[in-house]
Amino acid sequence: MSLKQFIFETYGLAGELTRLGGDLDENYLFEGDFGKHIFKLMHHSFDRPLIEMQAAALAHIQTKKVSFETPLVIPALSGELLTYYSAEGPKRTAWMISHLSGTLMAKARPWKPALTASLGGILAKLDRALSDFKHPSLERPFHWDILQAGWVDEKLHLHQNTEQRAIVEAVCAQYDTLRPQLDTCPKIPTHHDANDMNLFVKDDLGSNQISGIIDFGDMVYSARIGEVAIAAAYTAMDSDDPLANAAALLSAYHAEEPLTEVEIALFFPLLRMRLAVTVSNSAERVLTEPDDPYLMLHNAPGWRLLERFHGINETLVTGYFRKACGLSASPTSNAISDWLTDNHGNFTPMFKGADLGKAYTLDLSYSSATAVNTPEAQDTIVLNASIADAMTKANVSIAIGGYGEARPIYTGAAFGRNSDKPLAPIRTHHLGVDVSLAAGTAVYAPVGGTVWQAGYAADPLDYGGYIILQHSIPTGEQFYSLYGHLAPESLSHLKKDNKVRAGDLIGEVGVYSENGGWWPHVHLQLMTETPGRCSTPPGACEAGLFEVARSLYPNPAAFMGIENSATEWVPPNTAALLEKRGQTTPANQKLSYQKPLHIARAWKHYISDTEGRTYIDAYNNVPHVGHCNPSVIAAITEQMKLVATNTRYAHDSLTAYAHALTSRLPAELSVCLFTSSASEANELALRLARKASGAKNMLVMEHGYHGITTGAMAISPYKFGQSGGDAQEVWVHVTPQPDAFRGQYAASANVANDCAADTQAIIDGILAKGQKIAGYISECLPSVGGQIVMPEGFLKAVYRSVRAAGGVCIADDVQTSLGRLGRYYWGFEYQQVVPDILVLGKPLGNGFPLAAVVTTSEIAAEFASGPEFFSTFGGSTVSCAAGLAVLDAIDTAGLQQNAQEIGAYLEAGFKKLQNSYPVIGDIRGMGLFWGLDLVTDPISRAPASDIASYVKNRLRERGVLIGTDGPEDNVLKIRPPMTFDKPAADTLLFELGLVLAEAGVQI
Ligand SMILES: Cc1ncc(COP(=O)(O)O)c(C=O)c1O
């Protein structure tokens, strides 16, 4: 009997069945006369009592008044809740439940803390409703039960990757240690599987809320905190802020059903244990069921989360979750903080004769050039010299500061940096105070205590010689003080458990070779939690944990007899900056992104904000050879030291640079004129064209952009076409853009021919009026026009027409030169043309203002017959030095080749995404110059401008910078610095994939 027939005969319902996802059981959406239902056909291995338990639990919940939905069990005509079905093979239990409304949580990303908080509240209510539910099957051997998760430890061999295996091993070891505490926790009947495939979401007043919960198949009598940790594990997967999502869920649960301090302490270890169970279950079952997609659903995100949390400062995380539940960060942190405040002024000076109250503040924040940072080389010699230099310039021998400071100087893997995962959070925020002063300076104990640990942390960037003292306060609590970067032999008089009195000598400030490789300073850090006996506590934490670190690692200023404010870093105030900017900047000088970036520094294809968050820069093409390229900086600086002047003096740089450019260009393009912006260069190109042709009429490509000067604006339809822009000049004639995807040529069989013919017709029209043509200008791969790759033969045909009409051909290669297109060094090359006038800009100086016009000797000679050409900054000694260094850096680092390889890799990735997300209507580009044309409908190709804006802003939230462009602003624009590498490309593709899967992007 078919399923349909079975349902009709058994339930009296006629309708259609659609198979849904499921783990072991088969689930069907049944749509019939009486609406939607879910028909469940259980796996034959499923015990009937287990299904009875689910049905009974659902019926039990119906007897309670709950504010969320759970399925109703639909009885068969016989009155039974469970029936049997058998087509072939063993008979299987079947049952029918009501269909919940709303969106499956899996399809309602992004999951923000407000959503996970609603889940926490609902789970607490569910647990309350089930608290008096009884069923014999609640207590059974069950491998998903968090109390029975010990099996994971026995299956470590299933994880092939040794690093991943080590992570699971560590999670299991912690679980074993905490087992006695877990056994004391309250136990209740739990749902035990509140994952995103079992939850429904509804929009409630503009904010997503959990509205229903299904699938009670994993119900088990287990630890209540396990219920919360399991749900939190899923809500944290691939979310913007996994800890915030988990904390919101936990605190909402706690508000409904108060948890004990022990349960709260177990929350994070159990969350990780659930992840370990998930990935281990996948690893085991994939051996026997390799093709079951449901099985692997949470495997990859589970691993990502396990990896994200591995090595995280657990003291801080526990404090973070305690605070989320309204507790102090640790049971002792408030008492210690009060004691420090009360005893301010009573401590013995740490250094003799040093007035720390007047000490110079050493700024090592992201905004400070003193904080020299070479992320790829962990050599601190340059940093140390820079600090010494800053102190010499300030004429000081003591400097202080750094509590809570976000610093770029923590570069190693020890600080969480992982070159394969450029967005992995790193420990940026300093947890102590640094006192910088001469090596050899004696350090005295500010307060008495006992030596907890003394030793030598030998790794580069570690503490070198250090000591930790344990202190007790009169109310019985203990805290610890750490003194790092000391000379190890100066500590030899102090051994574990020695008593130290206030004023006793601790040791001496160490030098580079013995203090972890740093400049001479003492790192003083307080800790309210007991540190380990054999490892050193971290001296920095990730940004999101610093607020809780304030309690657990309090500001040690009191120890030095100074005010907290003297040592505490105050993050730059972005809101105040924006307000101030608005006072002096016109409103049409816009900032990117709904939440503008307050930037501090950049490196290669990364930009960091003032608070130390680092973004992948997939948008900026000016820093062509990478942000802050050292060889370009050196070339500019060296030249600046010699002479910075103009072209009226003979100097090697101008000639060397012009020769370097022309040697890379076709022979016809032999004369260079330099300016400091591409707008000026285009303006100059116009003058050259007019002089050469004796005409004024310009043909410009629709949507083109060539700059901000009056002439450049006049030839930029992108600008004069806009409301509030100038009207089109009579000498400007707009020719069509050969866009094969959208517009008048979308249906054309030969876009190049048709569009060139239309351009010819415009030329003919001008000539027919007895007028002449000065020239034609277009970008090589029109960018603001929507990243349009012109079809083969187009420019060739147009250039032929223009020249035949007496005009010159200008190629604006401002965005697409110097290897940007991968296969081609110059943008015009892919069209197999050579322009008469080439305009270059943006990448030429890697940020130093430099643009150029390169033309033929004939055109140059015509131009030279006019007035003198002189530009104050154009072609200056310094700009030419910058330009030379850029050309050199492209060759030395093989960046054109890189653009080609990474470009091909990106293209393949974009195509894969397009297969899953029809919102990507078209993929256009080459090398490291891409446009993804987003559509609301793949057939009509209607532009998805709002979605493009959403994607751009969501990617910014997640740490990847791209732009949007095109006449409808619906094209995602990706054109990173040419250093863009595989880890960056992988991250971009991964993050883009996540955002494209979000609810706001579905079409
Ligand atoms: C194609 C093109 N031409 C010219 C310009 C003007 O360059 P600049 O801002 O250096 O004057 C730009 C700037 O965005 C451009 O993209």
Side-chain angles (χ1 to χ4, degrees):
M1 197 191 324
S2 75
L3 274 182
K4 253 169 87 168
Q5 205 182 344
F6 171 79
I7 291 171
F8 184 70
E9 286 181 14
T10 317
Y11 293 91
L13 295 170
E16 294 301 322
L17 285 164
T18 318
R19 178 88 194 254
L20 303 172
D23 187 0
L24 285 175
D25 38 343
E26 281 172 37
N27 295 317
Y28 295 87
L29 175 65
F30 179 76
E31 291 175 279
D33 303 339
F34 296 94
K36 290 182 183 172
H37 291 92
I38 302 293
F39 177 69
K40 294 172 79 70
L41 190 55
M42 308 312 282
H43 195 258
H44 58 79
S45 66
F46 243 94
D47 282 347
R48 179 103 170 171
L50 269 183
I51 308 164
E52 282 164 2
M53 173 183 76
Q54 292 179 59
L58 291 173
H60 182 87
I61 295 165
Q62 294 301 327
T63 66
K64 313 274 172 167
K65 277 204 168 47
V66 291
S67 55
F68 53 92
E69 292 179 42
T70 49
L72 282 171
V73 186
I74 313 295
L77 292 172
S78 64
E80 287 166 322
L81 295 182
L82 305 183
T83 56
Y84 284 110
Y85 172 76
S86 155
E88 55 208 37
K91 67 178 185 175
R92 296 164 66 179
T93 300
W95 53 310
M96 181 87 87
I97 55 175
S98 63
H99 178 266
L100 298 197
S101 57
T103 312
L104 201 61
M105 184 179 165
K107 297 196 168 146
R109 279 183 182 270
W111 304 331
K112 299 280 184 182
L115 176 71
T116 66
S118 75
L119 174 55
I122 281 174
L123 266 189
K125 287 176 191 150
L126 176 67
D127 286 351
R128 197 153 60 222
L130 285 171
S131 59
D132 57 347
F133 175 68
K134 298 209 166 35
H135 195 279
S137 293
L138 277 174
E139 292 184 68
R140 66 186 187 281
F142 186 41
H143 78 309
W144 286 102
D145 179 2
I146 200 76
L147 291 178
Q148 303 177 47
W151 65 270
V152 172
D153 207 14
E154 283 147 34
K155 299 282 179 181
L156 289 173
H157 59 276
L158 292 173
H159 308 301
Q160 309 292 323
N161 178 315
T162 47
E163 280 165 29
Q164 290 187 331
R165 193 186 315 142
I167 292 176
V168 175
E169 199 170 1
V171 172
C172 289
Q174 187 185 43
Y175 176 83
D176 281 348
T177 319
L178 297 172
R179 188 68 219 202
Q181 277 137 281
L182 181 55
D183 288 337
T184 67
C185 287
K187 292 177 195 58
I188 54 168
T190 59
H191 177 280
H192 230 69
D193 193 21
N195 78 61
D196 53 311
M197 301 295 286
N198 290 340
L199 293 162
F200 283 84
V201 170
K202 273 188 190 158
D203 189 349
D204 188 10
L205 299 174
S207 164
N208 275 349
Q209 303 284 307
I210 299 293
S211 55
I213 182 161
I214 59 169
D215 195 350
F216 287 65
D218 284 3
M219 275 193 74
V220 62
Y221 188 76
S222 185
R224 171 175 68 170
I225 189 62
E227 176 90 318
V228 195
I230 288 166
Y234 291 99
T235 65
M237 285 179 188
D238 291 329
S239 65
D240 294 1
D241 186 342
L243 289 175
N245 271 12
L249 189 151
L250 176 73
S251 76
Y253 188 102
H254 181 66
E256 278 286 336
E257 283 286 304
L259 298 160
T260 65
E261 290 199 26
V262 174
E263 285 179 295
I264 294 166
L266 287 170
F267 173 68
F268 189 60
L270 292 184
L271 185 161
R272 291 208 290 187
M273 192 62 191
R274 170 59 173 218
L275 296 172
V277 169
T278 300
V279 297
S280 301
N281 181 65
S282 299
E284 186 170 39
R285 297 240 329 256
V286 81
L287 300 174
T288 48
E289 296 144 85
D291 300 323
D292 186 341
Y294 190 82
L295 201 58
M296 299 308 280
L297 212 56
H298 293 114
N299 185 55
W303 277 122
R304 283 193 287 274
L305 196 53
L306 277 169
E307 284 162 5
R308 158 78 175 82
F309 286 152
H310 187 57
I312 200 166
N313 182 329
E314 290 198 44
T315 309
L316 283 176
V317 173
T318 309
Y320 182 86
F321 288 127
R322 282 178 58 91
K323 278 193 125 172
C325 293
L327 302 171
S328 59
S330 80
T332 59
S333 56
N334 283 354
I336 291 157
S337 163
D338 291 347
W339 182 83
L340 282 171
T341 310
D342 294 346
N343 285 277
H344 196 284
N346 295 343
F347 299 109
T348 309
M350 269 177 74
F351 309 99
K352 291 224 162 97
D355 186 355
L356 295 179
K358 293 205 181 96
Y360 169 78
T361 303
L362 179 64
D363 181 0
L364 292 180
S365 72
Y366 271 78
S367 308
S368 161
T370 306
V372 188
N373 146 272
T374 44
E376 282 153 4
Q378 294 177 37
D379 181 353
T380 49
I381 290 176
V382 186
L383 168 72
N384 298 344
S386 166
I387 291 172
D389 192 42
M391 289 177 65
T392 307
K393 280 191 188 125
N395 197 20
V396 296
S397 53
I398 302 181
I400 198 164
Y403 182 69
E405 187 169 62
R407 294 174 163 183
I409 61 175
Y410 303 129
T411 55
F415 296 98
R417 213 174 273 273
N418 178 342
S419 51
D420 286 339
K421 297 202 180 94
L423 295 184
I426 41 177
R427 287 189 272 290
T428 45
H429 284 56
H430 193 230
L431 294 173
V433 165
D434 285 335
V435 187
S436 305
L437 68 190
T441 305
V443 184
Y444 300 93
V447 61
T450 309
V451 177
W452 177 256
Q453 231 198 102
Y456 182 52
D459 287 346
L461 309 186
D462 210 327
Y463 289 118
Y466 73 94
I467 186 158
I468 298 173
L469 300 182
Q470 184 188 42
H471 312 279
S472 299
I473 64 172
T475 42
E477 290 85 357
Q478 253 117 43
F479 74 101
Y480 302 80
S481 58
L482 160 74
Y483 310 79
H485 312 301
L486 304 179
E489 68 279 13
S490 73
L491 302 166
S492 54
H493 62 293
L494 293 175
K495 299 275 173 297
K496 204 157 112 183
D497 298 330
N498 281 176
K499 292 271 174 269
V500 173
R501 285 165 309 159
D504 280 359
L505 178 71
I506 292 179
E508 289 171 7
V509 177
V511 294
Y512 173 82
S513 56
E514 59 190 1
N515 79 355
W518 300 102
W519 76 103
H521 73 286
V522 183
H523 170 97
L524 172 63
Q525 180 173 321
L526 302 185
M527 294 157 281
T528 66
E529 289 291 87
T530 311
R533 280 276 196 181
C534 1
S535 60
T536 48
C541 75
E542 57 182 81
L545 290 173
F546 183 70
E547 264 324 294
V548 67
R550 277 179 192 287
S551 309
L552 292 169
Y553 304 92
N555 190 331
F559 254 44
M560 292 180 276
I562 55 179
E563 295 303 322
N564 283 357
S565 57
T567 59
E568 174 140 3
W569 180 65
V570 181
N573 185 335
T574 306
L577 175 77
L578 294 182
E579 194 185 332
K580 220 167 163 190
R581 175 180 157 122
Q583 290 161 8
T584 49
T585 311
N588 62 346
Q589 183 148 41
K590 292 191 179 148
L591 286 156
S592 297
Y593 309 113
Q594 280 154 7
K595 188 168 179 234
L597 233 65
H598 187 176
I599 59 167
R601 59 170 57 215
W603 171 254
K604 281 189 154 183
H605 42 278
Y606 300 106
I607 295 187
S608 303
D609 68 15
T610 49
E611 301 204 32
R613 177 164 185 206
T614 294
Y615 297 80
I616 290 182
D617 181 2
Y619 187 63
N620 284 292
N621 56 351
V622 171
H624 193 70
V625 293
H627 283 282
C628 300
N629 182 292
S631 62
V632 180
I633 295 173
I636 294 169
T637 318
E638 292 305 306
Q639 186 54 52
M640 208 71 185
K641 284 183 195 163
L642 290 169
V643 57
T645 190
N646 59 57
T647 51
R648 284 206 172 111
Y649 306 94
H651 187 271
D652 289 347
S653 58
L654 174 75
T655 308
Y657 184 48
H659 275 266
L661 277 181
T662 54
S663 70
R664 290 165 166 83
L665 279 163
E668 302 93 301
L669 295 170
S670 58
V671 182
C672 303
L673 300 97
F674 295 110
T675 62
S676 34
S677 75
S679 300
E680 289 169 275
N682 273 317
E683 192 81 32
L684 197 56
L686 266 187
R687 284 178 56 203
L688 260 65
R690 284 176 177 160
K691 194 89 175 84
S693 64
K696 195 169 180 192
N697 281 311
M698 281 299 299
L699 298 159
V700 301
M701 191 187 278
E702 65 176 326
H703 307 305
Y705 176 60
H706 304 289
I708 58 163
T709 57
T710 307
M713 289 279 274
I715 55 170
S716 299
Y718 164 68
K719 288 289 171 193
F720 64 66
Q722 285 190 13
S723 70
D726 286 342
Q728 183 174 343
E729 298 283 352
V730 289
W731 50 269
V732 172
H733 307 272
V734 179
T735 63
Q737 175 173 266
D739 181 350
F741 185 68
R742 163 172 299 113
Q744 56 184 319
Y745 303 111
S748 162
N750 192 331
V751 178
N753 273 2
D754 292 353
C755 188
D758 289 345
T759 308
Q760 178 69 57
I762 293 169
I763 295 173
D764 292 343
I766 299 168
L767 298 179
K769 286 191 202 149
Q771 293 186 13
K772 294 205 299 177
I773 286 167
Y776 171 87
I777 185 166
S778 77
E779 294 160 66
C780 295
L781 199 157
S783 185
V784 295
Q787 303 289 93
I788 307 295
V789 180
M790 296 193 271
E792 199 182 329
F794 173 72
L795 266 193
K796 224 178 200 174
V798 169
Y799 277 19
R800 207 180 302 122
S801 303
V802 171
R803 285 172 178 149
V808 299
C809 300
I810 307 172
D812 180 330
D813 210 358
V814 169
Q815 298 224 23
T816 39
S817 64
L818 306 195
R820 164 73 45 193
L821 299 187
R823 213 173 129 197
Y824 306 99
Y825 197 82
W826 305 104
F828 57 81
E829 286 177 297
Y830 84 92
Q831 283 288 299
Q832 295 169 311
V833 293
V834 178
D836 305 304
I837 300 173
L838 173 68
V839 177
L840 303 172
K842 289 193 189 288
L844 291 201
N846 212 52
F848 197 89
L850 173 60
V853 172
V854 192
T855 190
T856 62
S857 53
E858 295 78 20
I859 293 177
E862 281 291 340
F863 179 68
S865 69
E868 179 194 357
F869 169 64
F870 172 74
S871 161
T872 304
F873 300 120
S876 79
T877 51
V878 186
S879 61
C880 289
L884 273 168
V886 169
L887 295 181
D888 206 45
I890 296 168
D891 295 347
T892 315
L895 295 182
Q896 184 183 354
Q897 176 76 14
N898 183 61
Q900 192 169 350
E901 284 166 17
I902 300 296
Y905 187 72
L906 281 175
E907 184 176 19
F910 293 148
K911 284 193 174 144
K912 247 192 202 161
L913 289 173
Q914 190 181 31
N915 289 339
S916 309
Y917 303 106
V919 71
I920 302 180
D922 196 23
I923 299 164
R924 299 187 287 262
M926 272 181 249
L928 287 175
F929 203 63
W930 289 97
L932 305 187
D933 194 318
L934 303 193
V935 295
T936 54
D937 174 359
I939 308 294
S940 74
R941 300 179 177 177
S945 313
D946 290 347
I947 292 181
S949 166
Y950 175 88
V951 172
K952 171 177 72 176
N953 282 294
R954 277 292 294 141
L955 279 175
R956 177 251 182 264
E957 277 181 352
R958 292 193 59 94
V960 179
L961 306 181
I962 65 158
T964 51
D965 222 326
E968 304 289 342
D969 209 19
N970 68 311
V971 180
L972 302 182
K973 188 159 153 177
I974 293 159
R975 35 152 223 202
M978 299 274 283
T979 50
F980 211 68
D981 53 13
K982 195 162 167 294
D986 281 331
T987 311
L988 164 68
L989 291 168
F990 172 73
E991 294 293 337
L992 182 59
L994 278 190
V995 172
L996 290 175
E998 290 184 356
V1001 185
Q1002 302 320 304
I1003 57 170

